[in-house]
Amino acid sequence: SIRSPSDSSQQNSRIMAPNDTKVEYSSENKLGKLPGYLVKGNGNALIVLSEWWGANEQIREQAEYLSKLSGFTTLVPDLYRGKVAVNHEEAGHLFTGLDWQGAVQDIAGSVKYLKEQGCKKVSITGYCMGGAIALAAAVHVGKELTATVPFYGIPKDQLADVTQIKIPVQCHFGTADASKGFSAPEDQDVLEAKLKKGGVEYEFYRYEGAQHAFCHKDGPKYDEKACNLAFERMIAFLKKHMGSE
């Protein structure tokens, strides 16, 4: 049976490491090879990008859960290359120091790696920082990706012009998101207006009362109902565009 992120069994999972495999593959990022965490599924794949904390156990468990939910292979690229933040100060430092163009190159390398492993179609999702990169990748990696599903993160205009996206997009945001300039309601409205202006094929979901990071199950803003609904919508959307095989 599939574990919900809120199951009590999930709370005990800190004792055991996530059931994934550490891999390493090429990237054109000047930092060189990229580590990642792979869960093998069927012939299609979903790249799962972390919040600003990095590739910690929470995002790896979430990727494993999404693999079980969908049947897809999942890959969590470790964009910080081994660094994981344990508090807001560390996370802010890593986030500020991230080479965003390099991160997009890492996504291109991740897509290439998954296709070399035999995955036919590859889509991407991400949360907070990862959501912004998932949208930027839709612009710069383009049709090597099948679809993108960003959660509460929007890239700066200088990184990516979202009007240029040519693949389907499904967005998930909370109406009580207080991250002004990044994912707050007014930022969401600007993003949707740009997607509309660009003629992008998109779906846009706003969850009433949900805050930033509403799908981070260990966090204080976790909203189980909103997150479960978002995941249902995401899996249906991805299966529509990638197929279930």
Side-chain angles (χ1 to χ4, degrees):
S1 64
I2 296 169
R3 295 184 305 180
S4 164
S6 61
D7 282 353
S8 58
S9 61
Q10 195 80 335
Q11 302 307 314
N12 299 326
S13 61
R14 287 293 169 274
I15 300 164
M16 296 188 301
N19 187 23
D20 54 21
T21 302
K22 189 170 184 181
V23 295
E24 190 178 62
Y25 47 93
S26 298
S27 169
E28 291 187 7
N29 187 323
K30 63 180 182 289
L31 296 176
K33 285 191 171 181
L34 180 68
Y37 297 93
L38 185 74
V39 177
K40 288 194 174 177
N42 66 23
N44 292 320
L46 178 64
I47 295 168
V48 181
L49 300 179
S50 71
E51 299 176 353
W52 67 345
W53 306 103
N56 60 12
E57 288 201 354
Q58 179 269 329
I59 196 66
R60 290 166 57 195
E61 287 172 4
Q62 189 148 296
E64 184 185 350
Y65 173 69
L66 290 172
S67 179
K68 288 179 180 176
L69 205 59
S70 64
F72 300 142
T73 291
T74 56
L75 175 65
V76 177
D78 182 0
L79 301 179
Y80 292 157
R81 287 168 168 75
K83 298 188 180 83
V84 173
V86 294
N87 58 47
H88 280 82
E89 186 180 353
E90 286 181 11
H93 180 71
L94 290 170
F95 177 81
T96 304
L98 182 71
D99 173 5
W100 289 71
Q101 297 284 1
V104 170
Q105 290 174 317
D106 285 341
I107 303 313
S110 300
V111 175
K112 186 168 183 282
Y113 168 75
L114 287 164
K115 291 191 175 180
E116 286 171 352
Q117 300 305 303
C119 296
K120 296 177 184 69
K121 295 180 180 178
V122 180
S123 291
I124 190 167
T125 188
Y127 307 86
C128 177
M129 177 185 83
I133 295 170
L135 278 168
V139 176
H140 296 296
V141 181
K143 292 191 175 180
E144 288 297 307
L145 288 163
T146 298
T148 185
V149 185
F151 282 72
Y152 37 81
I154 302 169
K156 299 290 186 189
D157 288 341
Q158 57 265 39
L159 176 64
D161 177 3
V162 297
T163 66
Q164 300 303 306
I165 293 174
K166 306 298 184 198
I167 62 172
V169 180
Q170 187 186 65
C171 300
H172 300 275
F173 289 87
T175 63
D177 192 319
S179 297
K180 293 189 183 300
F182 187 66
S183 55
E186 57 268 32
D187 306 307
Q188 300 166 27
D189 292 343
V190 170
L191 172 61
E192 184 170 16
K194 287 177 181 175
L195 295 174
K196 198 172 287 184
K197 179 185 174 186
V200 179
E201 181 184 344
Y202 78 91
E203 298 174 11
F204 210 111
Y205 294 106
R206 295 170 174 84
Y207 298 85
E208 193 62 41
Q211 300 180 69
H212 189 78
F214 67 81
C215 275
H216 188 121
K217 69 178 176 57
D218 298 328
K221 299 170 185 175
Y222 178 57
D223 185 326
E224 181 181 6
K225 184 178 176 185
C227 186
N228 286 346
L229 178 55
F231 283 173
E232 282 176 28
R233 286 168 166 167
M234 173 169 66
I235 299 306
F237 175 79
L238 292 172
K239 286 187 173 179
K240 172 185 169 187
H241 291 289
M242 295 207 292
S244 55
E245 291 302 318

